[in-house]
Amino acid sequence: MPDLQQLRAEAEAAIGAAERASELEDLRVRYLGRKSELTQTLRSIGELPPEQRGPVGKQANEVRRALEALLGRRTAELEAAELDRRLAEDRVDITLPGDPPLPAGHLHLVSQIRRRMEDIFLGLGFSVVEGPEVEYEYYNFTALNHPPEHPARLPQDTFYLAERVLLRTHTSPMQIRAMELQQPPIYIVVPGRVYRPDTPDATHVPMFHQLEGLAVDEDITLADLQGCLLQFARQMFGEDTKVRLRPGYFPFTEPSVEVDVSCFRCGGSGFVADERCPTCKGEGWIEILGSGMVDPNVLDYVAANGYDNERVQGFAWGMGIERIAMLVYEVPDLRMLFENDLRLLDQFGAGP
Ligand code: DAH
């Protein structure tokens, strides 16, 4: 016959010292389970002498109830403490920065270059304007002095949307639109998308970006064109850059010139460490744009708005933004600028 009071004291001490709900489960089995001393005692009461059965049974049941109550209280206490602990541990401070902090991201290379170009020409006194990508044949070709039989008008070279409506093949139509809206003098640059039915390869894609420029004023000469583009080239490619004009042909300029800049990679020597310079292919010069003096025939289309070709002259140019981005960032294939592979884009993350 176990000493029930001693058993009770021992069990109460163990329950009081338990620190986890799982320990309490073990103690419940140990003191109240089927094989516990207490249960065995209650089961074998019938074997006791009759005068002991009442008092022992009563005492054993008392101990049982006391231990059950204590286990219940202790379980509730520990569960509450456990919940408090988890809540404290799992607390998230939503005012902290994310971990790891997300990179801020940056503009696409083409946008970075476009913005740099805009900034340079803003500094030279030009305004930035934009125009429609869906354009009339009139603005894209006719008013830019393309004769009706000019091959660029053919559907092989131009996406037509309707009879006289097309996707602009260059940003030049904005020359006419801007002059219709604003009397001389005018100094504008026009960035934007242009479209041509080209099969994609390393240097062609059917949609790309140009930046057009137009300056019309009194006493404008080819020297102004050269000086303006020299300033641009120095700021874009480096202070030592030179520019070179070569004769060219465009229907809307007369004379027309192709503009080259001295190679910013090899300094114009054509060599990098005794090897042929990969940027200018050993030429020392890189063609960057088409340009010229605005053809008087073009001014005639806007003569009614003050563009008297006896009184004002102008120069204009158009350059490919992707082409400049490829040169500056040494991107070998034009298509890479449209694939949006983050491995390429992240190499040039330090942009505005
Ligand atoms: N629009 C021409 C092209 O896409 C580029 C160009 C050449 C623009 C001469 C001009 C210019 O304004 O004067 O090839």
Side-chain angles (χ1 to χ4, degrees):
M1 181 73 228
D3 180 338
L4 289 176
Q5 288 314 327
Q6 194 196 325
L7 184 74
R8 176 177 179 167
E10 181 194 315
E12 282 178 350
I15 293 167
E19 280 174 11
R20 308 194 160 278
S22 60
E23 282 177 55
L24 289 179
E25 264 321 297
D26 293 345
L27 292 172
R28 180 187 297 278
V29 171
R30 165 126 57 102
Y31 293 108
L32 299 174
R34 268 188 296 127
K35 292 179 189 156
S36 65
E37 272 180 288
L38 195 61
T39 304
Q40 296 302 334
T41 307
L42 282 162
R43 284 222 183 109
S44 55
I45 275 185
E47 292 155 26
L48 293 174
E51 70 281 4
Q52 285 186 17
R53 289 179 197 163
V56 170
K58 190 169 169 239
Q59 203 192 5
N61 273 317
E62 247 178 50
V63 172
R64 168 169 212 100
R65 273 196 298 278
L67 291 184
E68 267 168 0
L70 181 60
L71 273 168
R73 277 203 306 280
R74 197 66 196 129
T75 302
E77 271 172 30
L78 285 182
E79 279 172 357
E82 175 76 358
L83 185 64
D84 284 349
R85 189 180 60 76
R86 286 226 201 107
L87 286 176
E89 260 180 18
D90 293 354
R91 188 167 54 202
V92 173
D93 183 347
I94 57 165
T95 66
L96 287 173
D99 183 19
L102 288 175
H106 59 82
L107 293 175
H108 190 275
L109 312 193
V110 173
S111 302
Q112 292 183 21
I113 294 290
R114 173 180 54 77
R115 290 197 174 191
R116 273 181 62 191
M117 290 176 169
E118 290 174 6
D119 281 352
I120 293 170
F121 287 111
L122 281 166
L124 292 171
F126 288 78
S127 321
V128 180
V129 298
E130 290 183 58
E133 292 166 31
V134 174
E135 186 54 282
Y136 289 111
E137 193 179 10
Y138 172 80
Y139 289 109
N140 199 82
F141 295 122
T142 310
L144 289 170
N145 202 36
H146 287 65
E149 69 282 3
H150 195 284
R153 292 180 182 253
L154 293 172
Q156 287 101 295
D157 287 326
T158 300
F159 287 114
Y160 281 87
L161 301 178
E163 179 70 9
R164 293 179 200 300
V165 181
L166 45 74
L167 292 178
R168 66 180 178 190
T169 59
H170 50 181
T171 41
S172 306
M174 267 308 283
Q175 292 189 22
I176 306 297
R177 286 182 176 275
M179 288 191 285
E180 283 181 350
L181 286 172
Q182 182 189 328
Q183 296 186 357
I186 186 168
Y187 291 85
I188 55 162
V189 293
V190 188
R193 293 189 191 90
V194 302
Y195 301 84
R196 291 179 195 179
D198 281 327
T199 308
D201 63 24
T203 52
H204 296 85
V205 285
M207 187 285 295
F208 57 101
H209 297 78
Q210 288 188 333
L211 184 115
E212 188 83 11
L214 174 70
V216 181
D217 205 339
E218 293 179 9
D219 300 322
I220 294 264
T221 72
L222 203 62
D224 297 306
L225 181 167
Q226 183 161 14
C228 177
L229 294 177
L230 177 61
Q231 279 308 315
F232 166 75
R234 285 182 175 164
Q235 291 185 51
M236 195 75 204
F237 303 112
E239 269 306 304
D240 300 330
T241 310
K242 299 181 195 50
V243 301
R244 170 174 92 168
L245 309 189
R246 285 179 293 111
Y249 176 76
F250 299 100
F252 39 96
T253 44
E254 184 60 35
S256 301
V257 291
E258 311 266 6
V259 177
D260 298 341
V261 293
S262 56
C263 180
F264 49 86
R265 183 92 173 270
C266 64
S269 70
F271 290 93
V272 178
D274 287 342
E275 300 273 345
R276 194 182 74 145
C277 173
T279 303
C280 64
K281 310 278 184 280
E283 292 288 314
W285 295 93
I286 306 167
E287 180 182 332
I288 57 156
L289 57 87
S291 180
M293 299 303 289
V294 177
D295 193 305
N297 292 345
V298 170
L299 296 178
D300 271 349
Y301 280 93
V302 285
N305 200 26
Y307 292 86
D308 173 358
N309 66 25
E310 297 288 329
R311 195 174 59 82
V312 293
Q313 308 77 38
F315 64 85
W317 74 89
M319 60 185 150
I321 301 181
E322 282 82 2
R323 179 167 166 71
I324 307 288
M326 286 171 75
L327 289 168
V328 169
Y329 292 124
E330 297 179 19
V331 177
D333 188 315
L334 175 55
R335 289 167 294 189
M336 294 169 100
L337 292 177
F338 297 93
E339 284 165 356
N340 288 337
D341 185 331
L342 291 177
R343 289 171 300 179
L344 174 95
L345 300 180
D346 282 348
Q347 280 183 50
F348 308 105

